[in-house]
Amino acid sequence: MKKKILFIGPIGDFGGRELETGFMAKSLSKDFDVEILSTGNLTLISQIFDFVPTEIVQTLNECIYKNSFRFRILSYLSRIKSNQKKDKYSFVSNTLAKRLGYRDFALNQLRIKINNFDIIILCMQLTSNYLKEIVEYSHGLQKPTVLRTSTTIKESDITEKDWLKEITLFIHHSESNAKKLEFIENYNYTLIDQCTFKEEEMLQIKSVETFKNLLYVGRISEEKGIVDFVELFNKLETDLTLKIVGDGEQMKELRVKSESNKNIELLGFLNQDEIVKQFQDTHAIIIPSYEESGPFVGLEAMASARLIISTKVGAMPERLKGLKNQFWFNVSDSNSLIKVLGDIKKLSNQQIKNIAEENRLRYLDNYQMDKIESQYKNAIFKL
């Protein structure tokens, strides 16, 4: 009989966490019975369904809606009052519900779920809601818990968190993130990075040989730094063009800052097939993030043999260590960006091609999909 794995995390519709959780679940579903419980809200367009069927995915609010008449009524009333076209489960965690014990009931639903599984895999940040309670409850039942950390671990994230020692295994993208938790007693971790999920298509893209445009792919939010980058880009005297793929809470602000620059094009959200087409037409990927664990787009750039211009964030310094692609900049320092762009402009076509192909070779050596899948399987089997 197969062991049962429950994935828990704030899974939504779009983003690296959705893609990675889906890939992990798909990789392990061949050897385990897998289910996914999202502590956030998602819809049928979520990218997680690129990997797994809808029947193994459920949201915490859906559980609460189905198992509590009181919260079901409150959800119904909240939906009428808001007059918004969202699914009925999105209204379960309304203001009145939170006053009337929503969190306690939610924790009880989590415990009921956990009781039915052998291994709990948490795709979360250290500050994610319910993480502490899930870890402590699972530990009390002697169920192995695995935390796949996401985003940059900050000093403020690890204060007063003695319960972290109850996590069986940490999975990190980078050694730099892993080292921040070395204070944990009996600290057990492994490093597993990401891969591109359009690997075959990315690897078939002809390597770049020139430098005339930039592409950003990611969430339009504060930690991604894209709004601040556009401010820098607006100040440059350059013929470079910039395409921006993504959506998020800072989209309105981004439109305002971009509208006067004819060299910037906002493309909004694109699916994975459409993103591959954008990679075919671009020369360099820009990563202006302040906080990341990956980022995912960095490996897409490597697989597609593109130049990478990045802040020293997440796993990027480790991914590019020893390569000629050392185009680092600081979002708050325009001179650092000017220098990097100037350095690339001085390169010959052959030099650009060599750097791009070296990036692809690093991807092939370390990050191919079957290698990452095997690493996940090995880590879980060892539990």
Side-chain angles (χ1 to χ4, degrees):
M1 187 175 179
K2 289 183 178 180
K3 295 280 188 181
K4 298 176 69 177
I5 294 179
L6 178 63
F7 284 83
I8 306 177
I11 312 302
D13 284 345
F14 313 114
R17 184 186 288 119
E18 287 69 29
L19 293 167
E20 188 170 16
T21 304
F23 176 71
M24 290 172 64
K26 181 181 178 181
S27 300
L28 296 172
S29 64
K30 301 167 187 174
D31 302 288
F32 300 89
D33 286 331
V34 171
E35 288 189 28
I36 299 170
L37 180 67
S38 173
T39 55
N41 291 314
L42 56 78
T43 69
L44 290 175
I45 65 171
S46 173
Q47 289 177 296
I48 202 166
F49 298 123
D50 292 345
F51 302 90
V52 296
T54 57
E55 56 264 27
I56 72 164
V57 181
Q58 192 176 35
T59 68
L60 182 57
N61 276 347
E62 183 181 351
C63 293
I64 294 170
Y65 186 92
K66 291 179 177 178
N67 295 314
S68 170
F69 178 76
R70 175 173 61 168
F71 290 116
R72 188 158 60 247
I73 292 298
L74 292 174
S75 173
Y76 175 75
L77 295 174
S78 178
R79 190 181 190 188
I80 293 174
K81 183 179 179 181
S82 70
N83 197 30
Q84 294 182 38
K85 293 182 179 180
K86 296 181 180 179
D87 72 88
K88 57 189 177 184
Y89 305 129
S90 300
F91 298 91
V92 173
S93 55
N94 59 73
T95 303
L96 183 56
K98 289 178 179 178
R99 293 177 185 169
L100 297 175
Y102 168 87
R103 181 176 173 81
D104 288 340
F105 195 85
L107 285 170
N108 187 54
Q109 292 300 300
L110 284 166
R111 295 183 187 111
I112 291 171
K113 271 285 188 182
I114 290 168
N115 288 340
N116 297 318
F117 289 84
D118 302 297
I119 300 171
I120 312 301
I121 299 181
L122 306 165
C123 300
M124 294 181 164
Q125 300 178 28
L126 292 183
T127 55
S128 290
N129 200 8
Y130 307 116
L131 176 59
K132 175 179 182 290
E133 291 85 353
I134 293 170
V135 169
E136 290 178 337
Y137 185 72
S138 301
H139 180 72
L141 297 176
Q142 296 185 317
K143 294 180 185 282
T145 53
V146 179
L147 177 59
R148 178 33 142 166
T149 54
S150 60
T151 201
T152 303
I153 297 174
K154 296 181 288 189
E155 198 68 36
S156 58
D157 297 338
I158 56 180
T159 55
E160 299 182 5
K161 287 187 171 62
D162 291 341
W163 50 268
L164 289 174
K165 68 186 178 205
E166 297 177 356
I167 293 173
T168 312
L169 174 68
F170 291 82
I171 300 179
H172 300 292
H173 293 87
S174 65
E175 190 70 46
S176 60
N177 245 13
K179 287 181 177 179
K180 294 175 182 177
L181 298 181
E182 287 181 336
F183 68 92
I184 297 174
E185 184 181 344
N186 299 320
Y187 180 36
N188 183 30
Y189 76 89
T190 188
L191 299 180
I192 303 178
D193 210 326
Q194 299 166 300
C195 60
T196 171
F197 307 120
K198 286 291 181 180
E199 187 171 272
E200 184 177 352
E201 295 90 336
M202 292 286 190
L203 291 174
Q204 288 177 354
I205 296 174
K206 184 180 178 182
S207 59
V208 68
E209 298 181 16
T210 189
F211 180 57
K212 295 181 180 179
N213 58 52
L214 304 171
L215 175 68
Y216 169 86
V217 180
R219 195 164 55 250
I220 311 301
S221 54
E222 186 174 359
E223 76 278 4
K224 296 292 186 178
I226 183 58
V227 172
D228 292 341
F229 177 77
V230 165
E231 287 187 355
L232 288 186
F233 191 78
N234 285 337
K235 297 174 183 177
L236 299 178
E237 295 181 4
T238 180
D239 57 353
L240 289 170
T241 60
L242 168 65
K243 289 185 178 182
I244 299 175
V245 174
D247 202 352
E249 56 266 29
Q250 283 193 311
M251 196 65 192
K252 184 177 179 180
E253 184 179 357
L254 182 64
R255 286 196 186 98
V256 171
K257 293 185 182 297
S258 304
E259 60 186 0
S260 62
N261 193 330
K262 67 181 189 312
N263 286 348
I264 299 178
E265 183 178 0
L266 305 184
L267 302 177
F269 172 78
L270 297 180
N271 63 38
Q272 287 290 294
D273 290 326
E274 292 168 323
I275 288 174
V276 171
K277 293 177 183 176
Q278 292 301 321
F279 271 85
Q280 290 173 343
D281 296 332
T282 198
H283 303 143
I285 301 302
I286 187 75
I287 302 173
S289 301
Y290 294 105
E291 297 176 15
E292 289 280 5
S293 49
F296 177 67
V297 70
L299 290 174
E300 291 181 314
M302 295 171 74
S304 58
R306 264 54 197 149
L307 301 182
I308 301 171
I309 303 170
S310 178
T311 55
K312 287 190 174 181
V313 70
M316 291 311 300
E318 291 173 39
R319 291 169 175 175
L320 299 174
K321 185 177 181 180
L323 303 185
K324 296 183 181 67
N325 193 123
Q326 299 296 312
F327 306 127
W328 309 105
F329 77 104
N330 189 323
V331 190
S332 60
D333 181 6
S334 58
N335 289 330
S336 67
L337 178 62
I338 292 170
K339 182 182 184 305
V340 162
L341 297 180
D343 289 343
I344 299 175
K345 285 279 191 181
K346 294 174 185 176
L347 298 174
S348 67
N349 288 357
Q350 187 59 51
Q351 287 174 315
I352 290 174
K353 183 178 181 181
N354 291 344
I355 293 171
E357 290 183 343
E358 188 182 42
N359 287 347
R360 173 174 280 165
L361 185 60
R362 173 63 60 85
Y363 178 88
L364 291 170
D365 287 343
N366 295 297
Y367 306 110
Q368 278 192 282
M369 189 181 294
D370 58 348
K371 294 179 181 179
I372 302 300
E373 182 175 305
S374 294
Q375 289 173 18
Y376 278 127
K377 288 182 178 181
N378 291 338
I380 301 305
F381 278 129
K382 285 179 182 178
L383 294 177

